[in-house]
Amino acid sequence: MLLGSPRNFICRRCATALTRPQRKRYSSSINHAVQRARPLRLAVIGSGPAGFYAAYKLLSKLEDAIVDMYEKLPVPFGLVRFGVAPDHPEVKGKNCQDKFTEVAESGRFNFVGNIAVGSDLPLQAIKPHYDAILFAYGASKDRWLNIPGESTLKGIYSARAFVGWYNGLPEYAGLNPDLTVGKEAVIIGQGNVALDVARILLSEVDALRKTDITDYALDALSRSRIESVRIVGRRGPMQAAFTVKEVRELMKLPRVGFVPIDPFLLPPDPSKDWTLPRIQKRLAAVLAKGSTTPPALSSKRWELSFFLAPTAFRSSPNNPDQLSHLTLEKTLPKGRDPFLPSVRVQGTGETTDLPASVAFRSIGYKSEPLPGLVESGIPFDEKLGIIPNDVHGRVLAPATESTAVHVPGFYVAGWSKRGPTGVIASTMEDAFATAEIIAKDWADNVRFLNHEEDGGGGTGLGWEGVKAEAERRGLRRVSWTDWKRIDAVEKHKGKLIEKERDKFPTVEEMLKILDRSPHIETTT
């Protein structure tokens, strides 16, 4: 039995943010099979919060189940390691990584790192050796605005790439954003990621030195000329996606001023407005109060700009390849009450320009199908960026125009299940729900992978059955013990420079550690 309870897996603040996503329900059918002759063997694709939370719940529900977790990188934790801001160590450590480590150190858990299912190892190569496969991978791409200049001008970055860059995601180690061109930055989008980007740009570099932010990010931020950050949204303050906590953190940054919001954009008396949800009331109060540091007395400043939709990125005649400003269309709210969270907007045709030497696109992430997913009979909704499912986590395939059937043995959790939305707490609830349904289906003798009707042939060997094919393809598996060696060296390197850890920015550097003597690792 694993240590801890579901309540201990997140902090109290996140627990209060739990929400159950509402999704379209399908009429579906489930095929039943025969009595189980052996324990469940599950493959989890992805080692982020969704994967670990699902593994925890399943191992707790089925005391003889075995879970193999596949991860394309040599290191685990996904969004917790590469997405959570470096100045939020309590989320990275105590609330997530420490708890996930408890799961990984179960005798019924195996970490299979450095192997990308789909591209390195086909789904069909692992399918015969498992009773079920759980897709728990996240969103590997970000959404584009698809406006002029977005893909041609220098100085335009995705927030996802920037966050990955300063957090040490190998994919973006070479991003090298130029923060020295000018003083103005614009962030398009008003979610928590946008506020994370703003906070990193505006924070004092010395305050970040003891976090696990990358050294190359510290170097770039120390040379940054950015003094003003504007965060732009199409709708108003009561429709913004950021949380009260994130706004408060920005308001409290030392020597950073906040440009006051026009009172006309805020409810006149939010505490007495019965139409406003409690969260919106708190947000309105924080925005109205503003920062204790007036912009006139600050070295840096930030502001929230509302009812603006970008239409083009522009350059100047003197430097036609470099971003110099954005053109945005002014919008207006539809309906009688502009403060309702669900309010939509319409364009006015009137435009305005905002100066910017650097811009960040932060309008959402997007999941993609794994290579070979559709060929394996698993559909993917390109528009929503999800694997179709029955809300509970069973993967669905169309049977008729109005009905769908469960694809036996395939399940989904996290962003691949509901789209890239929500906080870690909602991911936990979502993953728990999927794990519960896997355990229920197993107990109810529902048909899983490699059933006789599908030709049988299942081995139930898990990774031990997959290993030979992986080695034949020249793949190198990183185990949990291997990860702990990488982890120990990162922490040792960090201790030498008074940081929590000093991350390896490339896969090659991570793997080199495993080729060295353990004695050398902590003495060099």
Side-chain angles (χ1 to χ4, degrees), residues 307-357:
F307 297 112
L308 293 173
T311 59
F313 293 99
R314 309 288 189 187
S315 61
S316 67
N318 297 332
N319 195 350
D321 296 328
Q322 173 65 44
L323 174 70
S324 66
H325 63 283
L326 289 80
T327 298
L328 306 98
E329 181 183 15
K330 296 181 180 180
T331 63
L332 286 174
K334 296 180 180 179
R336 295 181 178 180
D337 190 344
F339 304 124
L340 291 176
S342 59
V343 163
R344 296 182 178 275
V345 295
Q346 59 187 6
T348 64
E350 183 181 355
T351 62
T352 186
D353 288 343
L354 295 179
S357 58

Side-chain angles (χ1 to χ4, degrees), residues 2 40-47 51-52 55 59 64-71 76 100-113 129-130 460-465 477-481 483:
L2 296 174
L40 172 71
R41 194 72 186 244
L42 173 71
V44 177
I45 313 301
S47 71
F52 268 105
L59 291 173
D64 57 355
I66 301 174
V67 173
D68 296 341
M69 181 175 285
Y70 288 81
E71 166 58 50
F100 296 164
T101 297
E102 291 181 23
V103 177
E105 292 180 349
S106 163
R108 295 181 287 121
F109 179 96
N110 300 295
F111 180 67
V112 185
H129 306 290
Y130 292 96
L461 293 174
W463 167 247
E464 290 304 314
R477 179 237 181 156
V478 171
S479 67
W480 191 258
T481 299
W483 149 244

Side-chain angles (χ1 to χ4, degrees), residues 198-214:
R199 197 175 63 256
I200 294 298
L201 290 172
L202 295 170
S203 291
E204 295 181 355
V205 175
D206 286 343
L208 297 172
R209 293 192 187 278
K210 293 186 178 181
T211 71
D212 65 356
I213 193 171
T214 57

Side-chain angles (χ1 to χ4, degrees), residues 7-16 91 95:
R7 182 174 296 177
N8 292 332
F9 261 66
I10 57 172
C11 63
R12 183 178 302 173
R13 181 182 63 248
C14 286
T16 62
V91 178
N95 293 334

Side-chain angles (χ1 to χ4, degrees), residues 143-153 156 186 188 232 234 308-314 323 325-329 359-361 363:
R143 298 187 181 278
W144 284 62
L145 291 160
N146 295 315
I147 59 177
E150 185 174 13
S151 60
T152 56
L153 295 179
I156 302 169
V186 169
I188 301 165
V232 177
R234 294 183 302 109
L308 293 173
T311 59
F313 293 99
R314 309 288 189 187
L323 174 70
H325 63 283
L326 289 80
T327 298
L328 306 98
E329 181 183 15
F360 299 90
R361 179 182 61 245
I363 57 172

Side-chain angles (χ1 to χ4, degrees), residues 95-136:
N95 293 334
C96 288
Q97 292 187 18
D98 293 351
K99 296 297 182 181
F100 296 164
T101 297
E102 291 181 23
V103 177
E105 292 180 349
S106 163
R108 295 181 287 121
F109 179 96
N110 300 295
F111 180 67
V112 185
N114 198 44
I115 292 182
V117 173
S119 53
D120 291 346
L121 194 63
L123 270 172
Q124 293 300 322
I126 71 171
K127 182 180 175 182
H129 306 290
Y130 292 96
D131 300 301
I133 296 175
L134 169 62
F135 299 104

Side-chain angles (χ1 to χ4, degrees), residues 170-315:
E171 179 183 356
Y172 296 115
L175 184 68
N176 298 323
D178 190 350
L179 307 178
T180 65
V181 177
K183 298 180 179 181
E184 295 92 4
V186 169
I187 303 171
I188 301 165
Q190 293 183 332
N192 280 345
V193 174
L195 268 61
D196 281 345
V197 171
R199 197 175 63 256
I200 294 298
L201 290 172
L202 295 170
S203 291
E204 295 181 355
V205 175
D206 286 343
L208 297 172
R209 293 192 187 278
K210 293 186 178 181
T211 71
D212 65 356
I213 193 171
T214 57
D215 288 340
Y216 51 76
L218 283 174
D219 179 63
L221 290 168
S222 67
R223 293 182 286 106
S224 171
R225 294 179 56 206
I226 301 297
E227 295 180 357
S228 172
V229 176
R230 190 190 300 255
I231 306 169
V232 177
R234 294 183 302 109
R235 300 193 292 170
M238 293 299 94
Q239 294 86 45
F242 48 67
T243 61
V244 173
K245 173 184 177 296
E246 293 287 336
V247 174
R248 279 180 174 153
E249 285 191 65
L250 267 172
M251 294 291 189
K252 293 178 180 179
L253 281 182
R255 289 181 284 280
V256 176
F258 174 66
V259 178
I261 295 174
D262 186 339
F264 178 76
L265 298 177
L266 296 171
D269 191 352
S271 63
K272 297 181 180 179
D273 190 339
W274 62 270
T275 64
L276 279 181
R278 183 175 62 88
I279 294 298
Q280 268 67 34
K281 290 181 180 180
R282 291 173 56 202
L283 180 61
V286 171
L287 293 176
K289 182 179 179 181
S291 171
T292 57
T293 306
L297 302 179
S298 60
S299 58
K300 297 179 180 179
R301 54 188 274 173
W302 70 287
E303 61 183 297
L304 293 163
S305 297
F306 301 102
F307 297 112
L308 293 173
T311 59
F313 293 99
R314 309 288 189 187
S315 61

